Amino acid sequence: AAEQGNAEAQKKLGDCYSRGTGVAKDLERAFECYSKAAKQGNARAQNNLGVCYMKGNGVTKDLVQGAEWYEKAAEQGLAEAQYTLGYCYKTGEGVTKDPVRGVEWYRKSAEQGNCTAQYNLGCCYNNGEGVEKNSAKAFEWYQKSAEQGYASAQFNLARLYANGYGVAQNKEEAVKW
């Protein structure tokens, strides 16, 4: 199916080569497969191509190309790519550093339930990075992430409860989290 141009098959074959599942691990072949699928608009392949460029997996490392492929996938609504693109903008990895745009992409991913994006959005509100500092909003996003089992969010949620930041102080809830 991949040889006949099926983008989903190309992406999945790329996954096989990337992991060494059923074939010898070959990052260059994985990159080739992801490239074919990504050029056809497959969002997951675009995200994986971004990973290849960012890490230099099967291709020369190129942070700008990586961010560009993340953006293509993010614009299609892929939560994982939206989170990663938010990180790129927050840190300036492959793009001009822009914490406000980072928050925008984190929010899009977080609203889809991505617990890592929810946690990072909570951090942005907690520290006033890309948004105005707001302990109540930090609490809200940490809680969403914590309820999905994200350990760092659970710790930060406990800290907010213990100190009464963004929520009424509650030592019992702090201990629970």
Side-chain angles (χ1 to χ4, degrees), residues 38 41-44 46 70-78 82 105:
N42 184 292
R44 291 205 175 277
Q46 291 170 339
Y70 285 143
E71 188 157 12
K72 290 176 190 287
E75 287 172 350
Q76 290 193 64
L78 186 65
Q82 291 170 336
W105 285 110

Side-chain angles (χ1 to χ4, degrees), residues 134-145:
N134 184 326
S135 295
K137 286 279 190 189
F139 174 85
E140 174 187 331
W141 288 109
Y142 284 150
Q143 184 173 33
K144 289 176 190 245
S145 181

Side-chain angles (χ1 to χ4, degrees), residues 52-128:
C52 290
Y53 276 112
M54 287 294 194
K55 294 184 176 184
N57 291 347
V59 66
T60 302
K61 187 173 183 175
D62 184 335
L63 301 181
V64 173
Q65 280 284 325
E68 287 174 5
W69 283 106
Y70 285 143
E71 188 157 12
K72 290 176 190 287
E75 287 172 350
Q76 290 193 64
L78 186 65
E80 180 182 351
Q82 291 170 336
Y83 159 73
T84 308
L85 187 60
Y87 177 82
C88 289
Y89 277 110
K90 184 174 180 261
T91 62
E93 191 168 304
V95 295
T96 302
K97 186 174 181 175
D98 185 342
V100 173
R101 282 191 79 187
V103 166
E104 291 169 5
W105 285 110
Y106 278 159
R107 184 180 319 284
K108 289 178 183 190
S109 182
E111 288 173 350
Q112 291 191 64
N114 182 301
C115 66
T116 309
Q118 292 168 339
Y119 167 74
N120 279 284
L121 190 54
C123 291
C124 289
Y125 277 109
N126 193 54
N127 300 318

